[in-house]
Amino acid sequence: MRILLAPMEGLLDFRLRDNLTRVGGYDECVSEFIRVNDTLLPSHRFYRYVPELYQNSRTKSGIPVKVQLLGSDINCMAENASKVASLGAYGIDINFGCPARTVNRNRGGAALLKEPNLMYSIVKAVRNVVPKEIPVTAKMRLGYDTTEHALVCAKALEEGGAKEIVVHARTKVDGYKPPAYWEWISKITEHIKIPVVANGEIWSVTDAIRCQRISGCKDIMIGRGAVANPALALMIRSEKNQKLPWNEVKMILFAYWKNLEFDMNLTSRAGRIKQWLHYLTRQYQEAENDFKSVKRFKSGDEFTNYFESHIN
């Protein structure tokens, strides 16, 4: 079994990748998407999203990170994939799953699930320019507003040259509303020959086991579940429900808070901490009290003092 750490736009970035991979249990990470429009991006844009490129495309704990690109311009996607490969990327992942309206309105992410021929052309163009030793993968959903073309889209990615695909078991219209339709992933695994990674609604060890059984996939990707429970990957590996003690989680939160201060304004930093705490309330009752306290804070000192005074 391989466990991949998913990106989450606006929260699960390189800082949180560092924190979660330090806890352990992951085989691979995927970066937040880097939007490609109609130009070749400068190197600093890739380094900003994926500073692990400075470290052989690995987190500080040694876990490899794929760089994810999002866009619909075939030539520009290929040019930028070639560029990021030259910077030492461990792998290139292509986003065909983002459900955000702003992304979809600009013909990106899940909107391309309505154009399987374009999906094929993008993957093929990227595969043609990226060195063979660098894997090209893709992430998709079951469709835009219906699962009608799920098998066609998966086949297009395979024929385009993707080494494996991650399937989020919902359509774009489903968003993140439960349930996830893991049984549909099993149809995809039977339809294509490349490896498939199951994703969506994995919050616990029980969820992971059920997902593997229903989807037919041994490999899984977790995102929101990992944010809600930093030890989830380790728990899935051991099949034991042993969460980290809350005080240890709070120390991780404090380390994350301190990492944010180097290049993020106070409002954004506060938003990240509140967002993460909100996810943690799903698994930790103690997080409820902390969330109620910090959501009223307005200064950086309030956050710092609160963490320092509440960590045993």
Side-chain angles (χ1 to χ4, degrees):
M1 173 180 60
R2 292 161 59 235
I3 301 178
L4 282 62
L5 180 62
M8 288 173 60
E9 179 70 12
L11 180 60
L12 214 171
D13 60 359
F14 66 89
R15 305 172 189 86
L16 198 41
R17 282 198 296 275
D18 179 37
N19 288 128
L20 294 178
T21 55
R22 283 174 189 268
V23 174
Y26 296 99
D27 296 283
E28 191 175 289
C29 306
V30 179
S31 77
E32 294 176 286
F33 69 76
I34 300 172
R35 191 188 300 262
V36 174
N37 291 317
D38 57 358
T39 187
L40 179 61
L41 298 173
S43 298
H44 68 78
R45 180 76 63 86
F46 298 111
Y47 286 123
R48 187 176 76 192
Y49 280 88
V50 195
E52 294 97 337
L53 288 168
Y54 289 116
Q55 303 156 187
N56 198 29
S57 200
R58 280 164 169 72
T59 66
K60 292 175 183 176
S61 51
I63 306 304
V65 182
K66 287 180 182 172
V67 179
Q68 188 178 82
L69 303 179
L70 179 150
S72 57
D73 185 301
I74 299 169
N75 292 330
C76 278
M77 286 288 284
E79 289 176 359
N80 281 277
S82 179
K83 175 71 173 286
V84 76
S86 73
L87 299 179
Y90 161 79
I92 310 291
D93 190 68
I94 306 174
N95 185 317
F96 297 112
C98 179
R101 291 180 181 178
T102 52
V103 169
N104 296 164
R105 276 201 302 265
N106 290 287
R107 206 183 180 198
L112 297 186
L113 293 167
K114 296 184 284 187
E115 302 182 68
N117 289 337
L118 179 56
M119 294 170 66
Y120 163 83
S121 296
I122 291 171
V123 173
K124 184 172 178 57
V126 169
R127 179 66 279 173
N128 285 344
V129 299
V130 170
K132 291 181 179 180
E133 64 272 17
I134 298 178
V136 173
T137 60
K139 186 176 183 184
M140 61 172 277
R141 283 177 172 250
L142 297 179
Y144 189 83
D145 53 5
T146 173
T147 58
E148 180 181 0
H149 301 300
L151 300 183
V152 175
C153 288
K155 194 67 175 176
L157 298 177
E158 178 184 40
E159 292 180 347
K163 182 179 180 181
E164 78 175 9
I165 61 173
V166 176
V167 179
H168 183 100
R170 286 178 275 228
T171 66
K172 182 273 179 192
V173 172
D174 290 332
Y176 295 98
K177 294 179 295 186
Y181 302 97
W182 297 325
E183 65 277 7
W184 250 102
I185 300 180
S186 69
K187 297 179 183 180
I188 292 174
T189 61
E190 293 170 1
H191 189 66
I192 62 176
K193 296 177 181 178
I194 59 174
V196 177
V197 179
N199 172 237
E201 215 61 26
I202 301 174
W203 297 93
S204 67
V205 174
T206 301
D207 290 337
I209 294 171
R210 286 186 61 244
C211 175
Q212 288 175 309
R213 176 174 56 82
I214 295 171
S215 70
C217 297
K218 65 178 181 178
D219 300 333
I220 59 174
M221 173 181 275
I222 56 177
R224 293 181 302 154
V227 174
N229 179 359
L232 181 57
L234 289 176
M235 291 166 60
I236 292 170
R237 288 198 182 283
S238 65
E239 296 189 6
K240 295 179 181 178
N241 291 303
Q242 295 179 341
K243 297 186 297 185
L244 294 176
W246 175 240
N247 192 62
E248 192 170 334
V249 174
K250 195 179 285 189
M251 291 175 68
I252 296 171
L253 268 168
F254 189 28
Y256 181 61
W257 168 254
K258 290 190 290 186
N259 284 339
L260 291 171
E261 69 182 348
F262 295 108
D263 60 356
M264 192 173 288
N265 62 51
L266 176 60
T267 300
S268 298
R269 290 167 64 203
R272 292 287 181 98
I273 287 295
K274 292 172 185 177
Q275 189 179 3
W276 192 3
L277 266 173
H278 181 66
Y279 273 107
L280 287 165
T281 61
R282 292 185 62 112
Q283 295 290 334
Y284 290 91
Q285 186 175 359
E286 302 95 326
E288 291 274 5
N289 295 329
D290 285 298
F291 181 69
K292 288 176 183 176
S293 297
V294 305
K295 72 179 182 180
R296 300 191 300 268
F297 292 170
K298 294 186 173 135
S299 76
D301 287 342
E302 286 180 294
F303 281 94
T304 300
N305 293 338
Y306 185 82
F307 280 120
E308 289 179 340
S309 64
H310 284 74
I311 292 176
N312 298 326

